[in-house]
Amino acid sequence: MFIEAALIGVLCYLGALSSPWLFGLTGGWYLITRPLVSGMLVGLILGDIKTGIIIGVAVQAVYIAMVTPGGSMPADLNFVAFPAIALGILSGKGPEVAVALAATIGIAGTILFNAMMVLNSFWNHRADTALERGDERGIYLNSAIWPQVTNFLLRFVPTFIAVYFGAQYISEFMDSLPKVVLSIMNVLGGILPAVGIAILLKQIIKNYTMLIYFLVGFVCIVFLKLNMVALVIVGALLALIHYNYKPEAPQTAPTAPASDDEDEF
């Protein structure tokens, strides 16, 4: 488990918001830190890809509409994507409990995110001082090296500790919880993905009549038992019908210019 915990810790650092190694935000924050992708990677490391993908899908639904306006971090998705999903897999209690764990760890992860921001301001101040002295080496160290060392320590160490030691105790801890607590976690874990989808719909749907397409997809999946390929085909046909055959907005007739009622002499 030492190697597995170390690999998950390294992935947690590579997927951090300010990590530059995987093409910046493109390969890190916007790729491997998406729970759907990280669930597969963590499941591959822990030897249970199927469970990792199932938990990743459930967690992704919760945070599918999460935005970080102005640097505000409602939950640290990086800790959700790696240590939380890893503990969810190791707990063996299913995706609902894993979602509840992920939501808790994600909120707690904002503390470390804010600590990193505070430490980065310290390194920025040292870089300014080095700039005033004309110290090129000091500028490089305080603007590029030490902030990344701080970021690595604040990502790798908590993730490694959580996965390495949590692997030994998480299953026993979950089994020791009262049934009512597990029931509550199952209920909350089942509700949270619906909340994430609802937030996404609220952001992208401007006209409430568009909800009919969401309901059609729901009926196709739940009652007609269509797979994703069939659902994509149905969605493409509905999109074609909507954009090609929707009624045009009524156009107002141009108003005639006011005539001059005065007689000309």
Side-chain angles (χ1 to χ4, degrees), residues 4-21 25 28-29 32-34 66 68 71-84 86 105-120 146-164:
E4 289 85 347
L7 288 175
I8 295 173
V10 170
L11 285 176
C12 186
Y13 164 66
L14 292 177
L17 187 61
S18 56
S19 178
W21 307 113
L25 295 178
W29 180 255
I32 68 171
T33 298
R34 301 303 99 180
M66 191 188 84
T68 55
S72 174
M73 187 72 72
D76 196 322
L77 191 60
N78 189 241
F79 282 105
V80 170
F82 293 103
I105 294 174
I107 295 173
T110 57
I111 299 174
L112 290 177
F113 177 80
N114 292 329
M116 185 187 69
M117 294 295 101
V118 172
L119 290 174
N120 281 346
W146 300 131
Q148 287 304 314
V149 172
T150 302
N151 191 19
F152 177 80
L153 293 176
L154 290 178
R155 299 290 170 177
F156 177 85
V157 174
T159 302
F160 178 84
I161 292 174
V163 177
Y164 183 73

Side-chain angles (χ1 to χ4, degrees), residues 121-144 146:
S121 65
F122 169 74
W123 298 124
N124 289 337
H125 178 70
R126 287 174 57 92
D128 291 339
T129 304
L131 179 63
E132 294 175 356
R133 297 197 309 264
D135 183 3
E136 295 184 2
R137 183 173 181 273
I139 296 172
Y140 177 73
L141 290 175
N142 289 287
S143 62
W146 300 131

